[in-house]
């Protein structure tokens, strides 16, 4: 297997916030398909960097992005919620920061700008869906236990990506009603999409630390290795279908 190159990349959002992403890619003589990786509300921590590293091992360039600035992370739900809510205060913050990250990823010499995708976990799910809703040049979007709601529903013809939503059946933070509303939004906008409901899976099902965080914070998260594996398999199939062609 090719050696994996990693580096941190500093970039700036339109609001002036200094953001620091983590880039990983296999050594390659030809430009690679590339994936933006948006983190859970905990920030740009080891978990999202690990996901970027795995993508690189699968042959993709990957960029774990920073949504809070200065690669801040926390293990406290109250702090995570505060930082996340700050990104909601102005209507464009999330999309502007994600767009800046996508432009930074596209500018890397290893990256084929014609083959870009975005994945996100929890809050990061909302980030990549809102990025897609904004008309970004991404061919595929996948969310794991993502926040599906938005103030800017998809307009017909605007989303260029095929969308995959991986949702836990027992998720108490994003309800099955929320999922139904999201499906209706995608259908109304003629978006190619799939929603997979994963059995016995709670919010946070893809993160091995979900149970520890749930206990420490008194919140309803849970790790489910079967759901994690099924979700990752579906995501890699999506990327292969839309980025490898």
């Amino acid at each position: 297997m090719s050696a994996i190159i990693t580096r941190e990349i500093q970039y700036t959002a339109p609001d002036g916030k200094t953001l620091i992403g983590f880039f990983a890619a296999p050594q390659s003589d030809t430009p690679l398909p590339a994936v933006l990786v948006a983190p859970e509300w905990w920030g740009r921590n080891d978990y999202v960097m690990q996901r970027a590293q795995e993508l690189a091992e699968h042959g993709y360039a990957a960029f774990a992005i920073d949504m809070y600035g200065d690669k801040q992370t926390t293990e406290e739900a109250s702090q995570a919620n505060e930082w996340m809510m700050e990104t909601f205060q102005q209507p464009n913050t999330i999309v502007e920061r994600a767009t800046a990250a996508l432009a930074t990823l596209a500018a890397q010499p290893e990256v084929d700008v014609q083959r870009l995708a975005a994945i996100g976990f929890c809050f990061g799910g909302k980030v990549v869906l809102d990025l897609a809703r904004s008309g970004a040049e991404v061919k595929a979007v996948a969310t794991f236990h993502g926040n599906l709601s938005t103030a800017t529903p998809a307009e017909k013809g605007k989303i260029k990506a095929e969308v995959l939503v991986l949702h836990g059946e027992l998720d108490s933070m994003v309800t099955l009603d929320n999922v139904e509303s999201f499906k209706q939004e995608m259908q109304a906008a003629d978006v190619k999409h799939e929603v997979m409901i994963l059995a016995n899976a709670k919010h946070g099902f893809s993160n091995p630390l979900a149970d520890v965080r749930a206990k420490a914070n008194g919140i309803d998260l849970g790790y489910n290795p079967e759901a994690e594996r099924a979700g990752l398999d579906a995501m890699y199939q999506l990327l292969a279908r839309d980025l490898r062609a």
Side-chain angles (χ1 to χ4, degrees):
M1 196 179 78
S2 301
I4 305 295
I5 305 154
T6 63
R7 59 180 177 269
E8 288 200 324
I9 304 170
Q10 185 171 310
Y11 56 108
T12 308
D15 60 14
K17 185 73 80 173
T18 298
L19 305 167
I20 304 170
F22 171 80
F23 178 83
Q27 278 186 323
S28 171
D29 296 331
T30 55
L32 297 162
V35 184
L36 196 81
V37 188
E40 298 174 292
W41 68 345
W42 310 114
R44 206 218 80 189
N45 57 14
D46 289 347
Y47 173 74
V48 73
M49 290 163 63
Q50 175 208 324
R51 292 299 184 204
Q53 184 95 21
E54 288 167 6
L55 280 155
E57 288 163 6
H58 280 78
Y60 299 93
F63 192 42
I65 70 172
D66 179 7
M67 288 301 293
Y68 300 148
D70 299 323
K71 60 178 180 181
Q72 295 180 102
T73 66
T74 184
E75 293 179 11
E76 292 180 16
S78 56
Q79 179 65 79
N81 188 59
E82 185 183 316
W83 285 341
M84 182 181 76
M85 293 314 291
E86 282 172 7
T87 70
F88 291 133
Q89 285 172 5
Q90 301 297 325
N92 300 324
T93 300
I94 286 174
V95 167
E96 285 182 349
R97 290 184 185 177
T99 301
L102 187 66
T104 302
L105 173 61
Q108 301 312 304
E110 295 89 349
V111 169
D112 178 352
V113 297
Q114 302 301 318
R115 295 187 291 163
L116 301 175
I119 68 166
F121 301 82
C122 170
F123 167 54
K126 175 178 176 56
V127 170
V128 297
L129 286 171
D130 278 351
L131 180 65
R133 289 175 177 118
S134 76
E137 294 291 340
V138 287
K139 291 184 179 298
V141 164
T143 74
F144 293 76
H145 38 91
N147 175 345
L148 306 176
S149 62
T150 185
T152 52
E155 297 168 26
K156 210 170 248 193
K158 204 152 185 192
I159 292 186
K160 300 180 171 79
E162 180 180 359
V163 175
L164 171 66
V165 165
L166 303 154
H167 181 78
E169 176 191 22
L170 305 180
D171 192 325
S172 63
M173 298 187 187
V174 182
T175 66
L176 291 171
D177 283 349
N178 296 147
V179 172
E180 209 45 54
S181 299
F182 175 79
K183 284 183 185 171
Q184 289 169 9
E185 177 198 351
M186 293 295 107
Q187 284 159 3
D190 284 341
V191 178
K192 186 177 181 184
H193 68 284
E194 181 185 1
V195 176
M196 279 179 67
I197 305 292
L198 299 160
N200 300 314
K202 289 186 173 188
H203 199 78
F205 65 79
S206 73
N207 191 333
L209 293 175
D211 297 296
V212 176
R213 299 275 165 83
K215 195 172 178 186
N217 290 282
I219 51 179
D220 192 22
L221 306 174
Y223 175 54
N224 182 313
E226 292 81 18
E228 175 196 27
R229 175 50 41 213
L232 288 170
D233 286 349
M235 177 201 77
Y236 279 113
Q237 287 168 25
L238 172 80
L239 295 178
R241 192 161 62 239
D242 292 338
L243 297 190
R244 294 295 193 188

